[in-house]
Amino acid sequence: MPSQATEATRRAARRWLSELRVAGVPRVRVLFHNHPRYADLTPAQYAEGLAWLRRTGMVTVAGRPVVEVGDIGLEGAAVPCVRWSETADAERRAIGAAGEQALLRLLRRSGLPYVRHVAAESDAYGYDIEAARSPDERVHLEVKSTTDPTRLVIHLTRNEYEVMAADAEWSLAAVLVGSDGEAVNVATVDRGWLHSVVPVDRGRGGRWESARLEVPARAIRPGLAADMWRLVPDAMLPRCPVWAGQLTG
């Protein structure tokens, strides 16, 4: 089975995905080997980053990325550089919508008799999709979508967390969206891990409303499952090991 990607491999992979948008593999390799900006990693680490992307199907044999990541910015800066723009916000919303639609298609193709896209009606539910195969077997899915195969970073709102805490049927599905808008990978994030890492309000004068969480491989379960049943058969799901070497079988 594939080994877990190291932090250096993941960093190299993110750089490959960014630079391969505008140049081919030979030119990018020369850039990594010669430009001082990229000297913190060795040629061997860059080679492993590209090999990992190819093993997981994130880069084609011809060297074209299957998924895209945004500009990485100042890696390793002491103070993170946070930028907001209307265009970037629209892109994030588009990725989120694509992930929801891709998951809806998978659920409906799996033959579930009841699938409802509640996020199209209101944001107040605290989840995006309701699905069931019987009155006693249903799930409320919060969908988090990304185009980055090297790490899984999600933003959890206070409302989503409070619904999770009160709703035993709530589940968080992570969707890696490909350039064609389809799901490249689907996984479930562990609820116990989410409970353990959300912020804590420290006084009546402050309250957290949204948390940015980087999900470790140990908190990512392959496939899409409620507590006791599989929403989508494993055979219908993409099988690419991504997100810090998360294995699918």
Side-chain angles (χ1 to χ4, degrees):
M1 292 190 297
S3 60
Q4 288 198 358
T6 66
E7 177 59 32
T9 299
R10 293 166 60 195
R11 191 185 311 164
R14 284 180 61 80
R15 292 176 182 175
W16 278 108
L17 288 172
S18 179
E19 297 297 340
L20 286 174
R21 294 179 300 174
V22 294
V25 169
R27 289 183 61 188
V28 175
R29 184 181 289 115
V30 170
L31 175 70
F32 289 160
H33 290 187
N34 295 280
H35 198 290
R37 177 183 178 185
Y38 301 106
D40 58 323
L41 297 180
T42 67
Q45 288 169 325
Y46 282 117
E48 176 55 28
L50 179 59
W52 182 76
L53 288 170
R54 283 174 165 160
R55 286 197 302 271
T56 58
M58 297 300 104
V59 168
T60 67
V61 174
R64 304 310 303 166
V66 173
V67 296
E68 296 181 358
V69 295
D71 292 334
I72 297 172
L74 301 175
E75 293 183 78
V79 179
C81 184
V82 179
R83 297 185 180 93
W84 180 90
S85 71
E86 186 174 351
T87 300
D89 191 57
E91 289 176 353
R92 283 190 291 270
R93 291 179 181 273
I95 292 169
E100 290 176 21
Q101 291 299 323
L103 193 55
L104 284 166
R105 287 191 290 272
L106 280 171
L107 291 168
R108 287 165 177 156
R109 285 200 295 264
S110 74
L112 285 176
Y114 179 79
V115 178
R116 178 185 170 197
H117 190 198
V118 300
E121 305 166 17
S122 171
D123 292 330
Y125 286 92
Y127 54 89
D128 299 306
I129 298 171
E130 183 177 8
R133 68 178 184 182
S134 74
D136 298 324
E137 294 176 317
R138 64 177 57 243
V139 66
H140 299 146
L141 290 171
E142 172 59 29
V143 184
K144 299 299 182 184
S145 309
T146 181
T147 59
D148 186 350
T150 67
R151 60 178 181 172
L152 177 58
V153 177
I154 65 174
H155 291 81
L156 189 72
T157 69
R158 181 67 172 249
N159 182 50
E160 291 162 357
Y161 171 71
E162 290 181 344
V163 171
M164 176 185 75
D167 183 358
E169 297 170 341
W170 190 98
S171 184
L172 195 151
V175 180
L176 179 65
V177 180
S179 56
D180 60 357
E182 292 298 328
V184 178
N185 197 33
V186 179
T188 305
V189 177
D190 183 70
R191 285 171 56 114
W193 179 83
L194 289 169
H195 275 297
S196 72
V197 296
V198 295
V200 176
D201 295 334
R202 298 191 179 278
R204 285 181 287 182
R207 169 187 166 94
W208 73 271
E209 292 295 337
S210 179
R212 178 188 181 279
L213 309 173
E214 183 162 354
V215 187
R218 60 183 170 80
I220 304 172
R221 289 184 292 159
L224 192 61
D227 286 342
M228 300 299 293
W229 57 289
R230 307 292 284 186
L231 281 77
V232 178
D234 288 342
M236 294 183 63
L237 292 170
R239 299 181 64 81
C240 293
V242 293
W243 298 322
Q246 174 241 341
L247 304 179
T248 57

